[in-house]
Amino acid sequence: MDAAGSQVVDECAQYAGKHQSGFITTQGGNLLCSKIIHLITNNHVKSQVSAVLNECEQKKYQSVAFPAIGTGQAGQSPAKVADEMLDAIEEFASQKSVQHLQTIKIVIFQTAMLKDFHESMRKREKSDSSGSDSWFSVLKSYLLGKKESAEKKKHVILKKKVSLVTFEICGESQENVDAAESWIKKLISKEYFESSISDELIESFDQRHIDALEDLQRRNHVNIQLDDKVSPPVVKISGLSRDVCSVSVEVQKMIQKIKDAREEQYKAELLYNLVEWRYPGGNDIFVAFDKLTNMHLEDAKIAKKQYLNVKIKKKNYKVDLNTLQASDDQGNTVNIQRVSKSEGKL
């Protein structure tokens, strides 16, 4: 309230006792926002978040930022609050009538609390079905921002592998020929196997992944088909059972790498709201590291590591996390900064 300024304090005093739906709305004051919604304290976090989200949609606001409601003086469990807040956001995001609110942020001031919200997201991802508009996908689109609709999905084409084998069967009678044909078909069906892998992350496959699939197809007795026009996309593998199994494992590894990269990016986004590491950019101005490097520096500090190798302006530097100095290969040294956004201090 101090940061918002006296104008907001006066508005709160003016509207005191006149609140409806458990909150009052004031101007943004000195804060970098157009409005502030002040909640009346209660222990029903989910209903409070839902009320605010519906109010934002009704007022046609495009974005809203929440603190971890109830984890301060109210003393509620961060894990419980994380579940209730994300439950409310998930239910709101599932409404087909939502048109205006595009971005929902949760600003977490205590680093230790970050793991509770991250774990709540992970539980939803594990329990989520891989449907075309899965709740988890919709939820992430609000928390991390929606992609521009102008971005059109590019369909990828996998080269077909054609290997034909022709059997010519000769016999003393049609009965013997039919028996031989039946025996060959049984052998083929015994060794032949099909596997389908369906996952929404397959739509993220780029040319590198297509090249890898073609290489797997070339080196093994399999045929691979990629159908990214269905939702979720599907990779179909058919051929000799032993090769189908090994290729399926490789495709699952490709999907897992994409998932790990996205999860790391998501963690980096969350951490960037708490801490910002900076390096000298010239003219006494410090520039923020990219979000992944920012996370790696913070993780190294928390793990009490002494050094971490990073890149600054495309050059290799070794950061001393105790002195906050970075040295390049020629021995040149620069100072770096660690800024806590919750406190505004180094």
Side-chain angles (χ1 to χ4, degrees), residues 187-225:
L187 283 179
I188 293 174
S189 62
K190 185 177 180 181
E191 291 296 324
Y192 183 82
F193 186 69
E194 291 184 351
S195 175
S196 294
I197 300 172
S198 176
D199 197 295
E200 62 181 10
L201 292 178
I202 293 173
E203 69 180 1
S204 300
F205 278 14
D206 55 23
Q207 191 58 47
R208 293 173 303 157
H209 298 98
I210 301 308
D211 292 343
L213 290 176
E214 289 179 345
D215 183 58
L216 287 170
Q217 183 175 248
R218 186 169 49 252
R219 292 187 292 105
N220 296 273
H221 294 92
V222 297
N223 183 62
I224 302 176
Q225 293 179 302

Short mmCIF file of all heavy atoms in Angstrom, two decimals, residues 187-225:
data_model
loop_
_atom_site.label_atom_id
_atom_site.label_comp_id
_atom_site.label_asym_id
_atom_site.label_seq_id
_atom_site.Cartn_x
_atom_site.Cartn_y
_atom_site.Cartn_z
N LEU A 187 4.25 -66.24 -40.51
CA LEU A 187 5.60 -65.82 -40.14
C LEU A 187 5.71 -64.29 -40.13
O LEU A 187 6.32 -63.70 -39.23
CB LEU A 187 6.63 -66.41 -41.11
CG LEU A 187 7.00 -67.88 -40.95
CD1 LEU A 187 8.00 -68.28 -42.02
CD2 LEU A 187 7.58 -68.14 -39.56
N ILE A 188 5.13 -63.67 -41.18
CA ILE A 188 5.19 -62.21 -41.26
C ILE A 188 4.44 -61.56 -40.10
O ILE A 188 4.95 -60.64 -39.45
CB ILE A 188 4.61 -61.73 -42.62
CG1 ILE A 188 5.51 -62.20 -43.77
CG2 ILE A 188 4.47 -60.22 -42.63
CD1 ILE A 188 4.93 -61.90 -45.15
N SER A 189 3.22 -62.07 -39.84
CA SER A 189 2.42 -61.47 -38.77
C SER A 189 3.07 -61.68 -37.41
O SER A 189 2.91 -60.86 -36.49
CB SER A 189 1.01 -62.07 -38.77
OG SER A 189 1.04 -63.47 -38.53
N LYS A 190 3.82 -62.79 -37.26
CA LYS A 190 4.50 -63.07 -36.00
C LYS A 190 5.61 -62.06 -35.74
O LYS A 190 5.86 -61.66 -34.60
CB LYS A 190 5.07 -64.50 -36.03
CG LYS A 190 5.69 -64.94 -34.73
CD LYS A 190 6.16 -66.38 -34.82
CE LYS A 190 6.78 -66.85 -33.52
NZ LYS A 190 7.27 -68.24 -33.61
N GLU A 191 6.29 -61.63 -36.79
CA GLU A 191 7.41 -60.69 -36.65
C GLU A 191 6.98 -59.23 -36.83
O GLU A 191 7.71 -58.32 -36.48
CB GLU A 191 8.50 -61.02 -37.68
CG GLU A 191 9.23 -62.32 -37.41
CD GLU A 191 10.01 -62.28 -36.11
OE1 GLU A 191 10.55 -61.20 -35.78
OE2 GLU A 191 10.07 -63.32 -35.43
N TYR A 192 5.79 -59.04 -37.39
CA TYR A 192 5.33 -57.68 -37.70
C TYR A 192 4.63 -57.06 -36.50
O TYR A 192 3.88 -57.72 -35.79
CB TYR A 192 4.37 -57.72 -38.90
CG TYR A 192 3.91 -56.35 -39.35
CD1 TYR A 192 4.70 -55.56 -40.18
CD2 TYR A 192 2.66 -55.86 -38.95
CE1 TYR A 192 4.26 -54.32 -40.61
CE2 TYR A 192 2.21 -54.62 -39.37
CZ TYR A 192 3.02 -53.85 -40.20
OH TYR A 192 2.58 -52.62 -40.61
N PHE A 193 4.90 -55.76 -36.27
CA PHE A 193 4.31 -55.09 -35.11
C PHE A 193 4.07 -53.62 -35.47
O PHE A 193 4.81 -53.02 -36.25
CB PHE A 193 5.26 -55.19 -33.91
CG PHE A 193 4.68 -54.66 -32.63
CD1 PHE A 193 3.64 -55.33 -32.00
CD2 PHE A 193 5.17 -53.50 -32.05
CE1 PHE A 193 3.10 -54.84 -30.82
CE2 PHE A 193 4.64 -53.00 -30.88
CZ PHE A 193 3.60 -53.68 -30.25
N GLU A 194 3.02 -53.06 -34.90
CA GLU A 194 2.71 -51.64 -35.10
C GLU A 194 2.62 -50.95 -33.75
O GLU A 194 2.12 -51.52 -32.78
CB GLU A 194 1.40 -51.47 -35.86
CG GLU A 194 1.45 -51.89 -37.31
CD GLU A 194 0.14 -51.60 -38.02
OE1 GLU A 194 -0.84 -51.23 -37.34
OE2 GLU A 194 0.09 -51.73 -39.25
N SER A 195 3.09 -49.69 -33.72
CA SER A 195 3.02 -48.90 -32.49
C SER A 195 2.67 -47.46 -32.84
O SER A 195 3.16 -46.91 -33.83
CB SER A 195 4.37 -48.93 -31.76
OG SER A 195 4.35 -48.09 -30.62
N SER A 196 1.78 -46.86 -32.04
CA SER A 196 1.40 -45.46 -32.25
C SER A 196 1.74 -44.66 -31.00
O SER A 196 1.42 -45.07 -29.88
CB SER A 196 -0.10 -45.34 -32.55
OG SER A 196 -0.40 -45.94 -33.79
N ILE A 197 2.37 -43.52 -31.21
CA ILE A 197 2.72 -42.62 -30.10
C ILE A 197 1.98 -41.31 -30.33
O ILE A 197 2.19 -40.64 -31.34
CB ILE A 197 4.24 -42.37 -30.04
CG1 ILE A 197 4.98 -43.69 -29.83
CG2 ILE A 197 4.57 -41.39 -28.92
CD1 ILE A 197 6.49 -43.57 -29.94
N SER A 198 1.09 -40.98 -29.40
CA SER A 198 0.27 -39.77 -29.52
C SER A 198 0.65 -38.80 -28.41
O SER A 198 0.61 -39.14 -27.23
CB SER A 198 -1.21 -40.15 -29.42
OG SER A 198 -2.01 -39.01 -29.44
N ASP A 199 1.02 -37.58 -28.79
CA ASP A 199 1.44 -36.59 -27.80
C ASP A 199 1.35 -35.20 -28.43
O ASP A 199 1.76 -35.00 -29.57
CB ASP A 199 2.87 -36.85 -27.33
CG ASP A 199 3.20 -36.12 -26.03
OD1 ASP A 199 3.20 -34.87 -26.06
OD2 ASP A 199 3.45 -36.78 -25.02
N GLU A 200 0.81 -34.24 -27.68
CA GLU A 200 0.68 -32.88 -28.20
C GLU A 200 2.03 -32.22 -28.49
O GLU A 200 2.14 -31.31 -29.31
CB GLU A 200 -0.12 -32.00 -27.24
CG GLU A 200 0.50 -31.82 -25.88
CD GLU A 200 -0.36 -30.97 -24.95
OE1 GLU A 200 -1.52 -30.68 -25.30
OE2 GLU A 200 0.14 -30.62 -23.88
N LEU A 201 3.10 -32.72 -27.84
CA LEU A 201 4.43 -32.14 -28.07
C LEU A 201 4.99 -32.50 -29.44
O LEU A 201 5.95 -31.88 -29.91
CB LEU A 201 5.40 -32.60 -26.98
CG LEU A 201 5.13 -32.05 -25.57
CD1 LEU A 201 6.13 -32.61 -24.58
CD2 LEU A 201 5.17 -30.53 -25.56
N ILE A 202 4.40 -33.49 -30.11
CA ILE A 202 4.88 -33.88 -31.44
C ILE A 202 4.70 -32.72 -32.42
O ILE A 202 5.45 -32.60 -33.39
CB ILE A 202 4.13 -35.14 -31.93
CG1 ILE A 202 4.52 -36.35 -31.05
CG2 ILE A 202 4.44 -35.45 -33.39
CD1 ILE A 202 3.72 -37.61 -31.35
N GLU A 203 3.73 -31.85 -32.16
CA GLU A 203 3.53 -30.71 -33.05
C GLU A 203 4.71 -29.74 -33.01
O GLU A 203 4.83 -28.86 -33.87
CB GLU A 203 2.24 -29.97 -32.71
CG GLU A 203 2.26 -29.24 -31.38
CD GLU A 203 0.95 -28.52 -31.10
OE1 GLU A 203 0.04 -28.63 -31.95
OE2 GLU A 203 0.85 -27.87 -30.04
N SER A 204 5.59 -29.91 -32.02
CA SER A 204 6.78 -29.05 -31.91
C SER A 204 7.96 -29.60 -32.70
O SER A 204 9.03 -28.98 -32.73
CB SER A 204 7.18 -28.88 -30.44
OG SER A 204 6.14 -28.30 -29.70
N PHE A 205 7.80 -30.77 -33.31
CA PHE A 205 8.89 -31.34 -34.10
C PHE A 205 9.29 -30.39 -35.22
O PHE A 205 8.44 -29.91 -35.97
CB PHE A 205 8.47 -32.69 -34.70
CG PHE A 205 8.58 -33.86 -33.75
CD1 PHE A 205 8.75 -33.66 -32.40
CD2 PHE A 205 8.50 -35.17 -34.22
CE1 PHE A 205 8.84 -34.73 -31.53
CE2 PHE A 205 8.59 -36.25 -33.35
CZ PHE A 205 8.76 -36.03 -32.00
N ASP A 206 10.59 -30.13 -35.33
CA ASP A 206 11.10 -29.29 -36.42
C ASP A 206 11.90 -30.16 -37.38
O ASP A 206 11.87 -31.40 -37.30
CB ASP A 206 11.95 -28.13 -35.88
CG ASP A 206 13.09 -28.61 -34.98
OD1 ASP A 206 13.51 -29.78 -35.11
OD2 ASP A 206 13.58 -27.82 -34.17
N GLN A 207 12.66 -29.54 -38.27
CA GLN A 207 13.37 -30.30 -39.29
C GLN A 207 14.41 -31.24 -38.68
O GLN A 207 14.67 -32.32 -39.22
CB GLN A 207 14.04 -29.35 -40.30
CG GLN A 207 14.57 -30.05 -41.54
CD GLN A 207 13.49 -30.81 -42.29
OE1 GLN A 207 12.40 -30.28 -42.52
NE2 GLN A 207 13.76 -32.06 -42.65
N ARG A 208 15.00 -30.84 -37.57
CA ARG A 208 15.98 -31.73 -36.90
C ARG A 208 15.32 -33.03 -36.47
O ARG A 208 15.91 -34.10 -36.60
CB ARG A 208 16.59 -31.02 -35.69
CG ARG A 208 17.48 -29.83 -35.99
CD ARG A 208 17.86 -29.14 -34.70
NE ARG A 208 16.67 -28.74 -33.96
CZ ARG A 208 16.64 -28.53 -32.64
NH1 ARG A 208 17.71 -28.73 -31.91
NH2 ARG A 208 15.52 -28.14 -32.05
N HIS A 209 14.11 -32.92 -35.93
CA HIS A 209 13.42 -34.12 -35.49
C HIS A 209 13.01 -34.98 -36.69
O HIS A 209 13.07 -36.22 -36.63
CB HIS A 209 12.18 -33.75 -34.66
CG HIS A 209 12.50 -33.00 -33.41
ND1 HIS A 209 12.42 -31.63 -33.30
CD2 HIS A 209 12.91 -33.43 -32.19
CE1 HIS A 209 12.75 -31.26 -32.08
NE2 HIS A 209 13.05 -32.33 -31.38
N ILE A 210 12.59 -34.34 -37.79
CA ILE A 210 12.21 -35.08 -38.99
C ILE A 210 13.42 -35.83 -39.55
O ILE A 210 13.33 -37.00 -39.94
CB ILE A 210 11.64 -34.13 -40.06
CG1 ILE A 210 10.40 -33.41 -39.49
CG2 ILE A 210 11.27 -34.90 -41.32
CD1 ILE A 210 9.36 -34.32 -38.90
N ASP A 211 14.57 -35.15 -39.56
CA ASP A 211 15.81 -35.80 -40.03
C ASP A 211 16.15 -37.00 -39.16
O ASP A 211 16.60 -38.04 -39.66
CB ASP A 211 16.97 -34.80 -40.04
CG ASP A 211 16.79 -33.71 -41.09
OD1 ASP A 211 15.97 -33.89 -42.00
OD2 ASP A 211 17.48 -32.66 -40.98
N ALA A 212 15.95 -36.85 -37.85
CA ALA A 212 16.24 -37.95 -36.92
C ALA A 212 15.30 -39.13 -37.17
O ALA A 212 15.72 -40.30 -37.14
CB ALA A 212 16.13 -37.47 -35.48
N LEU A 213 14.01 -38.85 -37.43
CA LEU A 213 13.05 -39.92 -37.73
C LEU A 213 13.41 -40.64 -39.03
O LEU A 213 13.34 -41.88 -39.11
CB LEU A 213 11.63 -39.34 -37.83
CG LEU A 213 10.98 -38.85 -36.53
CD1 LEU A 213 9.63 -38.23 -36.83
CD2 LEU A 213 10.84 -39.98 -35.51
N GLU A 214 13.81 -39.87 -40.03
CA GLU A 214 14.20 -40.49 -41.30
C GLU A 214 15.45 -41.35 -41.14
O GLU A 214 15.57 -42.41 -41.77
CB GLU A 214 14.42 -39.40 -42.35
CG GLU A 214 13.12 -38.74 -42.79
CD GLU A 214 13.34 -37.64 -43.81
OE1 GLU A 214 14.51 -37.21 -43.97
OE2 GLU A 214 12.37 -37.20 -44.45
N ASP A 215 16.36 -40.92 -40.28
CA ASP A 215 17.56 -41.71 -40.02
C ASP A 215 17.21 -43.02 -39.31
O ASP A 215 17.74 -44.08 -39.63
CB ASP A 215 18.55 -40.90 -39.18
CG ASP A 215 19.86 -41.63 -38.93
OD1 ASP A 215 20.53 -42.01 -39.91
OD2 ASP A 215 20.18 -41.85 -37.76
N LEU A 216 16.28 -42.94 -38.34
CA LEU A 216 15.82 -44.16 -37.65
C LEU A 216 15.14 -45.11 -38.62
O LEU A 216 15.33 -46.33 -38.56
CB LEU A 216 14.85 -43.77 -36.53
CG LEU A 216 15.44 -43.12 -35.27
CD1 LEU A 216 14.33 -42.59 -34.38
CD2 LEU A 216 16.30 -44.12 -34.51
N GLN A 217 14.37 -44.55 -39.51
CA GLN A 217 13.67 -45.37 -40.51
C GLN A 217 14.65 -46.04 -41.46
O GLN A 217 14.48 -47.21 -41.84
CB GLN A 217 12.70 -44.47 -41.30
CG GLN A 217 11.86 -45.19 -42.32
CD GLN A 217 10.84 -44.26 -42.95
OE1 GLN A 217 9.65 -44.40 -42.74
NE2 GLN A 217 11.30 -43.30 -43.74
N ARG A 218 15.70 -45.30 -41.81
CA ARG A 218 16.69 -45.81 -42.76
C ARG A 218 17.53 -46.92 -42.13
O ARG A 218 17.90 -47.90 -42.80
CB ARG A 218 17.59 -44.66 -43.22
CG ARG A 218 18.58 -45.01 -44.31
CD ARG A 218 19.23 -43.76 -44.89
NE ARG A 218 19.73 -42.84 -43.88
CZ ARG A 218 19.18 -41.67 -43.58
NH1 ARG A 218 18.08 -41.27 -44.21
NH2 ARG A 218 19.70 -40.89 -42.66
N ARG A 219 17.83 -46.80 -40.84
CA ARG A 219 18.74 -47.75 -40.19
C ARG A 219 18.03 -48.97 -39.61
O ARG A 219 18.68 -49.88 -39.12
CB ARG A 219 19.52 -47.05 -39.08
CG ARG A 219 20.52 -46.01 -39.60
CD ARG A 219 21.41 -45.45 -38.50
NE ARG A 219 20.68 -44.62 -37.55
CZ ARG A 219 20.33 -44.98 -36.33
NH1 ARG A 219 20.63 -46.20 -35.90
NH2 ARG A 219 19.68 -44.15 -35.51
N ASN A 220 16.70 -48.95 -39.62
CA ASN A 220 15.96 -50.06 -39.03
C ASN A 220 14.91 -50.57 -40.02
O ASN A 220 14.56 -49.90 -40.98
CB ASN A 220 15.25 -49.59 -37.74
CG ASN A 220 16.22 -49.18 -36.66
OD1 ASN A 220 16.68 -50.00 -35.87
ND2 ASN A 220 16.53 -47.88 -36.60
N HIS A 221 14.42 -51.79 -39.74
CA HIS A 221 13.40 -52.39 -40.59
C HIS A 221 12.02 -51.90 -40.14
O HIS A 221 11.19 -52.67 -39.63
CB HIS A 221 13.48 -53.92 -40.53
CG HIS A 221 14.74 -54.47 -41.12
ND1 HIS A 221 15.87 -54.70 -40.36
CD2 HIS A 221 15.07 -54.81 -42.39
CE1 HIS A 221 16.84 -55.18 -41.12
NE2 HIS A 221 16.37 -55.26 -42.37
N VAL A 222 11.79 -50.60 -40.32
CA VAL A 222 10.52 -50.01 -39.91
C VAL A 222 10.08 -48.98 -40.94
O VAL A 222 10.87 -48.47 -41.73
CB VAL A 222 10.63 -49.32 -38.53
CG1 VAL A 222 10.98 -50.30 -37.43
CG2 VAL A 222 11.63 -48.17 -38.57
N ASN A 223 8.80 -48.68 -40.87
CA ASN A 223 8.23 -47.56 -41.63
C ASN A 223 7.62 -46.60 -40.61
O ASN A 223 6.89 -47.02 -39.71
CB ASN A 223 7.17 -48.05 -42.61
CG ASN A 223 6.62 -46.92 -43.46
OD1 ASN A 223 7.36 -46.31 -44.21
ND2 ASN A 223 5.33 -46.65 -43.33
N ILE A 224 7.95 -45.31 -40.74
CA ILE A 224 7.47 -44.30 -39.78
C ILE A 224 6.56 -43.32 -40.50
O ILE A 224 6.92 -42.77 -41.55
CB ILE A 224 8.64 -43.55 -39.12
CG1 ILE A 224 9.58 -44.53 -38.40
CG2 ILE A 224 8.12 -42.51 -38.13
CD1 ILE A 224 10.81 -43.88 -37.80
N GLN A 225 5.40 -43.09 -39.95
CA GLN A 225 4.46 -42.10 -40.47
C GLN A 225 4.18 -41.06 -39.39
O GLN A 225 3.97 -41.41 -38.22
CB GLN A 225 3.15 -42.77 -40.88
CG GLN A 225 3.27 -43.70 -42.07
CD GLN A 225 1.94 -44.34 -42.40
OE1 GLN A 225 1.34 -45.02 -41.57
NE2 GLN A 225 1.46 -44.13 -43.61
#
